[in-house]
Structures are given as structure tokens and as C-alpha cells.
Amino acid sequence: MASTESPVSSSWLSELQEELAALQRRSLRRTILTPRDGQGETLRIDGHDLLNLTSNNYLGLAGDSRVVDGSIEAARLYGASVSASRLLCGSTPLHEELERRLAALKGQEGALLYSSGYMANLGVLTALARSGDVIFSDALNHASIIDGCRLSGASTKVYKHCDLEHLEELLATNPARRRIIVSETVFSMDGDIAPLASLVELANSYDAVLVLDEAHATGVLGPGGEGALARFQLDPSGIVVIGTLSKALASAGGFVAASATVIEYLLNRSRPFIFNTALPPSSVGAALVALDIVSREPERRAQLEMLSVRLRDGFAVAGYPLSTSETAIVPLVLGAADAALALEGKLREAGILSRAIRPPTVPEGTARIRFNLIATHTAEDIDRVLAVVPSPA
Ligand SMILES: Cc1ncc(COP(=O)(O)O)c(C=O)c1O
């Protein structure tokens, strides 16, 4: 009798196994950790309580009872799923209200929800750019931006991280039907902030579309949590702003906020919007309540700022090079992937969870521990971290 596994399938399976083994040898294999108790400032993992310094729950709202109630109430009203895309019948009044609120938060004429921030980047870049266009993308942009650039069919020119001279040189030498500059406002792995005023100026002088991903700024920066543009009092009109509900807004989903024309265009042309089931009501309900808290409880942002200054100062005093971080993302760059894994292990033994970030998430040779703070952490929590992290060699 013939073997149940054909030679073809077993050869491709062994190729996958070899690749996984190679990742293991290079300290690059990834695993899932499953906390047993949600996403607060401590996590119960494998029977241990660990201080959580690795999530994007910046304002500590993921387990907030008001946000959870908003989620439950929305599910009771509109069901567990909308079972259709927005353009069929998957819309609810809550989806519309959330879009209005996000547009207002971002100072834009309209907003459109996507099923994730990843999809929002894919959806915007693939709709706005095509073959014959050029996208100018910061070297440290998130994978979802990189994938959006690739999928769009446009030519992509990567400029050195936050390097305006390099960007201008590329703009000056790459004419195109349409030019798009895309950058994160707060960079996800370094916590630094893009030179936003200069990006706006360059976009204006070269008649380029400016797309800014505010995933790590929304809810966190600006007097009312509007984001990085508001923090620097920049006029958002004309800018296409991407965001996510999955970080400070304690939910899941993504969005774009822009002029009415851009929103109408995306609604008609953006495939990840058109061909994707709309967000479940529970996610929309949670984000609506989180938005209320974002504007009403600025003390959460103040606490986050205090904690991140304390951690950055502590690392500087210990002898680490000054970080470019200006936010609640505080990286400690170690270089080799195994060094980052070793520190992750040491922290974990001391009851602290902060995961090693390794290539390809960060460039080769810049593996790190990225400490992500939560507004509900305390100064004592930060001091615990500083006591465990060894001084640089
Ligand atoms: C800069 C940036 N953009 C987009 C995303 C994707 O957002 P989401 O998790 O909602 O898909 C992330 C999340 O990791 C991010 O860091």
C-alpha cells in the first residue's frame, strides 16, 4: 500500500523543519506566551506573576471595567459579529459614531475603520499608490507599511531613518505621477518621534502625499491624546493619518482619518476595506468608551510620561547610551539576538516580562529588549527593572 505522505509533501515539510531549526540556531525562533489573566500591569504566566513591560496597553485600559462594559453592551445590542463587510450590511450606528469620533480626534473631515492597523496600512498604500508612482518610506517603518509599499506596485525608495537630507535627495531625483511619503510618527521599536514639521514642509514643496502612522501616538501624545501632530501643534489637513484601536485604545481594529475625498476614495477603492468583514460591535463599543477616557483622564498620559522619563534616566545613569526615545517605548539595544534573549531570561527570573525583539522586526545587529510602559505602572515598578538590568559591559 502506498505511503500516506507523498514524497513531495514530505520534502517541503522537511524544508520547513530545517528552516525552523536554522532560526533556532540563530536565536531567532519565536514562541507564544499565554498569560492566564488578561492584559494588566502584571501577567500570570506558567504559575508566576510577571510585571508586564511588553504590551501596547499604554493607558492601562484593556481591562478597565468601563471599556469591558462598553464592549459587552455593544455585543448585546448588535450581536457577536456583523457577518458582512461594511459595504454589504456589516455597518452599525456604533461604527459610524466611532468614525465620526476618530475624525474629530484627528482634526480630519472623515475616518474609515479597518479590521486592524495592519490592514489600514495595506489598504491606504495599495489604494493611493500604483505602478508608476514612488513611495518614500522611512527605513524603520513597521512591517505593515513595508508590505503596503510592496503590494501597491509602486517603486519604493527607502530613506535613512528620519534623515531629511536623504529624503529630499530622493524626492528631488525621483519624479513620478504621484509621490507619497510614509512614516510612523512614533517609531514602534525605538520610541523616537519623526521630524514631523519638516516632513510636512517637504511633502508640500514636492507636492507629495504625506501618510503618517500614528499607531503608537494615538491616545498617548497631545493634550487630549490626539497624537503626535497635535503634540507639535501641526495642522493635520491634507495629511492621511493611519491609526490603530489595538494599543492605547484598548480594542482591536485600525482606521484612517483624512479629507472627505480621500475617505470616499478609499471606501470605493481600498480592497482591505471592501473585501473584509467589518469590525465586531464589541471592538467598536470598547474603543468608543476608551476614547471618552482618553480625553477625560489626561493624568494617565502624565503618569506614562513620568514613568518613561524615570526609566530612560535610570538607563542613562547606569551607563547606557542616551536613547532617542521620547515616549513610553524605551528600548535597550543589545546587538546580538542571544544577548537580548539572555536579558529577557534574567528579567523573567526576577519576575519581569519584557520580550527580546530580534530581526527581522529590527535591523540585524540591533536586537533589543523593548520596555513598553503602562500608565498603571508605578515608580517602584520602574525601580525594580532598573535594579535587575546590569550595567553595559
Ligand atoms: C507602527 C505600527 N503600525 C501598525 C501596526 C499594526 O496595528 P494592528 O496591531 O492594529 O494591526 C503596528 C502594530 O504592531 C505598529 O506598530
Side-chain angles (χ1 to χ4, degrees):
M1 214 175 124
S3 142
T4 50
E5 208 165 343
S6 75
V8 175
S9 79
S10 65
S11 77
W12 70 260
L13 277 178
S14 59
E15 260 176 41
L16 301 193
Q17 281 158 356
E18 272 164 33
E19 208 169 311
L20 287 170
L23 286 175
Q24 179 78 32
R25 283 193 297 278
R26 294 164 57 212
S27 301
L28 294 178
R29 191 157 172 173
R30 298 168 187 239
T31 53
I32 291 178
L33 278 182
T34 303
R36 298 290 157 204
D37 56 350
Q39 287 297 331
E41 53 284 352
T42 52
L43 300 176
R44 184 121 192 114
I45 296 177
D46 294 340
H48 298 283
D49 285 328
L50 301 175
L51 186 63
N52 176 8
L53 283 147
T54 207
S55 87
N56 299 308
N57 182 18
Y58 294 118
L59 299 181
L61 296 178
D64 186 286
S65 60
R66 297 164 293 178
V67 176
V68 174
D69 286 347
S71 174
I72 294 169
E73 204 177 308
R76 285 204 198 292
L77 271 173
Y78 296 105
S81 168
V82 290
S83 312
S85 71
R86 291 289 294 291
L87 294 176
L88 290 175
C89 62
S91 196
T92 71
L94 292 183
H95 287 76
E96 291 182 344
E97 188 188 339
L98 182 55
E99 285 172 343
R100 274 194 301 274
R101 297 271 303 277
L102 289 167
L105 182 79
K106 295 293 182 186
Q108 298 280 4
E109 289 173 356
L112 199 62
L113 292 169
Y114 284 81
S115 60
S116 67
Y118 188 105
M119 284 297 181
N121 273 324
L122 234 52
V124 167
L125 292 169
T126 54
L128 295 185
R130 60 171 117 115
S131 168
D133 299 338
V134 179
I135 304 178
F136 302 86
S137 177
D138 187 286
L140 294 189
N141 276 340
H142 186 259
S144 55
I145 297 177
I146 297 171
D147 293 352
C149 293
R150 287 180 181 156
L151 210 57
S152 71
S155 153
T156 303
K157 304 288 170 195
V158 176
Y159 61 92
K160 291 179 209 150
H161 181 52
C162 291
D163 185 332
L164 296 164
E165 262 178 46
H166 190 211
L167 171 59
E168 180 151 25
E169 192 185 309
L170 290 172
L171 281 163
T173 50
N174 286 281
R177 183 193 76 103
R178 181 177 294 156
R179 293 189 285 187
I180 296 176
I181 301 171
V182 60
S183 175
E184 296 177 33
T185 57
V186 170
F187 284 90
S188 62
M189 294 299 143
D190 292 84
D192 56 339
I193 302 179
L196 298 175
S198 305
L199 288 180
V200 172
E201 259 174 46
L202 277 179
N204 288 339
S205 8
Y206 286 87
D207 193 24
V209 182
L210 182 57
V211 176
L212 293 177
D213 180 347
E214 291 255 75
H216 295 271
T218 303
V220 175
L221 296 182
E226 302 89 341
L229 285 166
R231 166 164 171 183
F232 296 105
Q233 289 159 12
L234 293 169
D235 177 3
S237 51
I239 301 175
V240 178
V241 174
I242 312 275
T244 176
L245 309 178
S246 68
K247 302 188 193 297
L249 297 182
S251 180
F255 66 91
V256 54
S259 69
T261 304
V262 170
I263 296 302
E264 179 69 12
Y265 184 80
L266 293 172
L267 187 147
N268 281 278
R269 283 283 186 234
S270 176
R271 292 168 67 85
F273 174 78
I274 300 168
F275 299 105
N276 204 200
T277 297
L279 279 179
S282 54
S283 299
V284 179
L288 277 167
V289 177
L291 274 179
D292 283 337
I293 301 174
V294 160
S295 62
R296 288 201 197 127
E297 298 181 6
E299 60 275 17
R300 288 176 186 266
R301 279 184 290 285
Q303 172 75 356
L304 202 54
E305 172 71 8
M306 182 281 283
L307 295 167
S308 38
V309 168
R310 193 177 183 96
L311 187 60
R312 285 197 298 269
D313 287 355
F315 287 149
V317 168
Y320 284 94
L322 269 190
S323 152
T324 54
S325 165
E326 295 177 63
T327 63
I329 299 168
V330 184
L332 207 57
V333 177
L334 298 156
D338 53 359
L341 279 180
L343 182 54
E344 175 183 318
K346 187 177 161 76
L347 287 162
R348 201 156 158 195
E349 274 166 26
I352 297 164
L353 183 73
S354 196
R355 304 213 68 190
I357 310 279
R358 296 161 285 162
T361 310
V362 290
E364 207 60 56
T366 69
R368 66 197 65 190
I369 297 287
R370 180 187 60 158
F371 295 95
N372 272 25
L373 303 172
I374 305 179
T376 44
H377 284 136
T378 62
E380 292 70 39
D381 292 333
I382 301 300
D383 295 344
R384 255 181 82 191
V385 175
L386 292 169
V388 177
V389 171
S391 294

